[in-house]
Amino acid sequence: MMRGSNEQRAIRLSMMLDGELGLEERRELESTLQNDLQARSMHETLREGGRHGREVFAELLKEPVPLDLVRSIKTASSPRKAVRLPGDQVGLFSGKPTVSQAALAILLAVALGGGIGYMLGQQPSITRQAVTTDDGDWLSDVVTHYRIFSRQPENLVEMPASDPAAIVEWLLGSTGINFRIPDLSENDLRFEGARLFAAGGLPVGELLYRSAEGEVISILFRKNQPEDDGFSELIRDNIALISWKSPTTTYLVVGPSSAASLDEIAAKAAGLI
Amino acid sequence: LTIAASAPLDLRREFLSLLPRLRRFALTLARSATQADEVVRAAYGCAIADSDCLSGEGPAAARLFALIRRTAADLNATSKSEPVQADDFQPSGERKTLVLSMPDGQASAFLLVDVENFSYLQAADILGITQELLASHVCDARRSFASTMAQTVQLRA
């Protein structure tokens, strides 16, 4: 399609914003911008349009990925080791399901579809509700906290792993939750230490682990709240969260969504914490 | 980023890592938010079932974006008459509608170049179009966003 000279100039101005012009052509256009009001106006329009477009797409990226989409991808590949998170009573975790149980779960997932997936098939006793998406909820605080500290490898923890007894005493006193520090070395995770922070107005204890690849995996816990929305697994941006509950405590495992074994880590931690 | 087509776990890792961005890209190609998720789901199904789906050279991210584009083209071929719709009432619904309602090619070209920072060469390859057409789409998208922004400012004034 032939375009007029104004159109061609607009396209070249747009290309200049993307650094896609050669040196000579860029200098020529910069010279035009100094002397041509119309060109300057177009340049400003394109620049502002680009800024607005980036904002629009940045906001779209903040939307949680639907749980059923994540699960359909996680379960669509070749058969994986099944994991089982505890129900209302921690300690009921009893290892791998049988082949027939796994097959039954797959059939259930196919038959019921949508939001009822693989994990539910493995643990029918867990009550699930809609995934919480409000930006103001405590999970947003958790995600923000994880995003900030997982990118500070030199300042990852408040209290290092060298004194585990002190960590337990500290977090028990602050959160009111008794716990053990899970040994996840079989999952190639090294315990780095702990943090305490506030999410949704309540203290949250955090145990931090690091993989050989440098991925940071956190186990978090706080007292149950009556208004808590139940969820088992969700992804926000590139961060995945998996939860389970005891009668008094909500636990989370948080890590990069690319950590394919996060559900296995959650199952292991649930049996050890 | 690298992908070993013979290693499903690596593919899954890469796909999950890029999932929010792939889903956003699918939204620029689909007729609805629901269809965008169908595109992503179908693209992954293709990738794990047939290594040819991820054929081509270049970084894994570029190949996965190209897979999303090809899958969207297949799905759109039978549903072009469907109206554009955001499907939901989430806070981002208005932005989804804006992206979904942009003329064909503009939002996807802009996203790849200005947001995902692909070069014109890479973006044109992902979209299967010439660099000249890509440059035109990116320019039109910038003007479209500027126009929308101006209308919003006017409405709020």
Side-chain angles (χ1 to χ4, degrees):
Chain A
M1 184 194 304
M2 290 295 292
R3 292 220 183 194
S5 59
N6 281 341
E7 280 295 302
Q8 286 298 337
R9 187 162 65 180
I11 291 172
R12 287 168 63 213
L13 286 167
S14 176
M15 292 175 70
M16 189 170 78
L17 290 172
D18 297 320
E20 289 281 346
L21 288 184
L23 183 61
E24 189 175 335
E25 197 172 8
R26 182 165 59 83
R27 283 179 176 163
E28 182 187 326
L29 210 48
E30 284 171 348
S31 173
T32 303
L33 283 174
Q34 287 183 343
N35 304 313
D36 189 329
L37 269 177
Q38 193 180 5
R40 267 211 302 276
S41 173
M42 175 57 69
H43 184 253
E44 184 63 15
T45 296
L46 293 169
R47 204 174 58 79
E48 283 298 306
R51 185 180 61 77
H52 180 52
R54 285 191 294 278
E55 288 174 358
V56 167
F57 280 115
E59 287 299 313
L60 285 179
L61 199 60
K62 291 178 182 174
E63 181 182 302
V65 178
L67 191 56
D68 64 327
L69 179 59
V70 176
R71 284 187 176 155
S72 65
I73 289 170
K74 283 195 168 185
T75 58
S77 56
S78 55
R80 305 176 57 207
K81 277 193 295 183
V83 295
R84 183 190 184 106
L85 293 174
D88 290 340
Q89 291 183 320
V90 173
L92 290 180
F93 175 65
S94 58
K96 303 171 186 174
T98 64
V99 172
S100 60
Q101 284 173 325
L104 175 62
I106 292 168
L107 283 173
L108 279 173
V110 170
L112 300 178
I116 304 177
Y118 178 76
M119 294 295 291
L120 184 56
Q122 298 300 325
Q123 41 175 332
S125 64
I126 291 183
T127 301
R128 287 191 167 78
Q129 301 168 23
V131 172
T132 304
T133 56
D134 291 343
D135 286 339
D137 63 15
W138 77 289
L139 296 177
S140 292
D141 293 342
V142 167
V143 169
T144 302
H145 175 88
Y146 175 85
R147 185 178 294 117
I148 291 171
F149 285 101
S150 64
R151 292 173 182 172
Q152 298 191 36
E154 303 303 320
N155 300 292
L156 186 62
V157 300
E158 281 181 277
M159 187 174 284
S162 53
D163 192 351
I167 287 175
V168 172
E169 184 182 358
W170 173 45
L171 294 183
L172 169 61
S174 305
T175 65
I177 297 165
N178 200 2
F179 66 98
R180 288 170 294 180
I181 299 173
D183 177 1
L184 300 176
S185 53
E186 287 183 4
N187 297 79
D188 294 326
L189 291 176
R190 186 179 68 247
F191 181 54
E192 296 283 343
R195 278 192 173 277
L196 175 70
F197 66 100
L202 287 175
V204 176
E206 180 180 22
L207 307 174
L208 295 110
Y209 298 77
R210 201 188 323 245
S211 71
E213 292 80 30
E215 288 177 332
V216 174
I217 307 289
S218 287
I219 301 173
L220 302 99
F221 46 86
R222 77 162 194 177
K223 287 279 192 185
N224 284 341
Q225 296 301 298
E227 70 276 16
D228 273 356
D229 279 326
F231 78 96
S232 62
E233 187 173 2
L234 65 87
I235 287 184
R236 288 194 178 184
D237 296 343
N238 293 327
I239 298 169
L241 302 92
I242 298 176
S243 80
W244 71 96
K245 286 186 177 185
S246 75
T248 59
T249 307
T250 298
Y251 300 89
L252 289 176
V253 165
V254 184
S257 58
S258 57
S261 60
L262 211 57
D263 46 2
E264 295 168 23
I265 292 168
K268 181 82 174 291
L272 296 174
I273 198 166
Chain B
L1 294 175
T2 56
I3 280 187
S6 60
L9 191 62
D10 286 350
L11 171 63
R12 187 180 62 176
R13 179 187 288 263
E14 300 286 0
F15 207 94
L16 284 172
S17 173
L18 290 171
L19 182 56
R21 290 163 56 194
L22 294 173
R23 182 170 176 257
R24 182 176 63 174
F25 178 53
L27 194 68
T28 69
L29 301 162
R31 313 305 299 174
S32 69
T34 300
Q35 192 189 50
D37 287 348
E38 289 172 6
V39 167
V40 173
R41 197 176 281 112
Y44 184 70
C46 178
I48 60 169
D50 184 357
S51 58
D52 288 344
C53 282
L54 279 173
S55 60
E57 300 297 323
R63 291 162 60 195
L64 288 173
F65 275 91
L67 172 62
I68 293 288
R69 196 271 303 168
R70 290 194 300 271
T71 308
D74 291 344
L75 293 180
N76 274 336
T78 57
S79 58
K80 276 185 175 173
S81 59
E82 289 180 9
V84 165
Q85 49 188 321
D87 295 336
D88 59 39
F89 298 96
Q90 295 188 36
S92 57
E94 189 181 334
R95 298 178 194 92
K96 277 185 189 172
T97 304
L98 170 63
V99 169
L100 287 164
S101 60
M102 289 176 75
D104 282 351
Q106 287 187 15
S108 48
F110 177 84
L111 173 68
L112 291 178
V113 169
D114 202 318
V115 181
E116 296 289 353
N117 293 316
F118 285 110
S119 69
Y120 276 31
L121 178 64
Q122 289 173 315
D125 191 45
I126 289 169
L127 293 173
I129 59 178
T130 64
Q131 291 188 56
E132 288 73 21
L133 183 55
L134 176 90
S136 173
H137 283 335
V138 173
C139 179
D140 288 341
R142 286 193 168 113
R143 286 189 289 200
S144 178
F145 280 123
S147 172
T148 305
M149 186 174 62
Q151 288 170 13
T152 305
V153 170
Q154 279 181 348
L155 285 173
R156 288 178 180 167

